[in-house]
Structure formats: C-alpha cells, structure tokens
Amino acid sequence: MQVLYTASARATGDGRDGHVRTSDGTVDLDLAVPKEMGGAGDAANPEQLFAAGYAACFHSALRLVGRKLKADVSGSVVEAEVGIGPNGSGGFGLAVTLVVDLPAVPRTAATQLVEQAHQVCPYSNATRGNVEVVLTVREALAA
C-alpha cells in the first residue's frame, strides 16, 4: 500500500482520563471516562472520536460509490454508533452500527450502495473480522 497521508496524535495523562492532541493541533481535547463506565463523563472519549472518524470516512466512501454509480446521494447522512464492553477474554471489544440516510435513493439501491461503501471505506476494511459492524439503511424511498 502506498501511504498518501499519515495522521499523528499523542495521548498524555491517565489514558481515558487524559488528553489527546494531533501533531498539527487541529484536535486538542481532554478525555474522560463516560459516566456509564464509572467516570465523570465531562469530556470526549475514545469511542466518540472513533465514531466521528468512522462516520466521516464511511460517508466519503458512500459518496464516492454513489458518484461512480450515478446515484443521487444528496442529503445523505451517516451516523456511527460505537459501543464498548467486555469481550469475555479479560479485555474489551467494540461494536459498531452505521446508520445511513439516503433520502433520494430507493431502499434496494440504497442497501447496495451502503454494502459497496462498506467494501471501500478504510475504517470498514480495518475493522472487518475484528469488530462487529451492523449496517442500517434508514429513510430510503420505497422500491
């Protein structure tokens, strides 16, 4: 693979109750453990950052596939839900649900676009086989 771009971030402090900053300073956030996991929940957490990145990346892949197939992806929205919990082996795992709105695309075509975007998206390719990813198409036109 030819690397086109590399992002770099540094975590300091106490991990989930610490701070993250990208090398260029565009992301510069305090972190806090979510209340649901016993923390203060008064700052961002790694699952939120992962959800934001996955949603943006998947949306780009969806729009790329849509353009190639000449589908009307105007008004499209991608929401990523990232859950964390014990994996049964002493560690933790993630679960992801991607909820996609394609209001101008009939349901069958929308489902096909989402499946194709899932093959293109780098986050989907990185998680495949490691993280359960559920794809949901919402608000599609009836076929």
Side-chain angles (χ1 to χ4, degrees):
M1 179 182 90
Q2 178 187 359
V3 174
L4 301 175
Y5 168 76
T6 300
S8 176
R10 174 181 276 203
T12 57
D14 192 20
R16 290 179 164 276
D17 277 319
H19 191 88
V20 291
R21 184 179 190 284
T22 56
S23 58
D24 64 3
T26 57
V27 175
D28 193 352
L29 300 169
D30 287 330
L31 299 177
V33 174
K35 288 181 182 178
E36 297 83 352
M37 294 176 65
D42 58 354
N45 63 63
E47 290 69 40
Q48 290 171 325
L49 298 173
F50 187 74
Y54 204 159
C57 189
F58 194 88
H59 199 202
S60 289
L62 181 69
R63 294 181 67 78
L64 173 72
V65 169
R67 281 191 303 275
K68 285 184 178 179
L69 298 176
K70 298 187 184 347
D72 182 359
V73 294
S74 60
S76 60
V77 176
V78 175
E79 296 175 11
E81 302 168 356
V82 175
I84 183 171
N87 66 6
S89 301
F92 290 85
L94 299 175
V96 174
T97 299
L98 298 174
V99 181
V100 180
D101 294 318
L102 283 162
V105 180
R107 176 166 295 282
T108 301
T111 300
Q112 291 172 348
L113 281 174
V114 168
E115 289 289 344
Q116 288 181 34
H118 191 46
Q119 298 306 310
V120 171
C121 176
Y123 276 61
S124 293
N125 289 329
T127 59
R128 189 169 290 111
N130 299 307
V131 174
E132 178 185 355
V133 177
V134 175
L135 304 173
T136 302
V137 176
R138 180 173 62 190
E139 308 221 5
L141 297 173

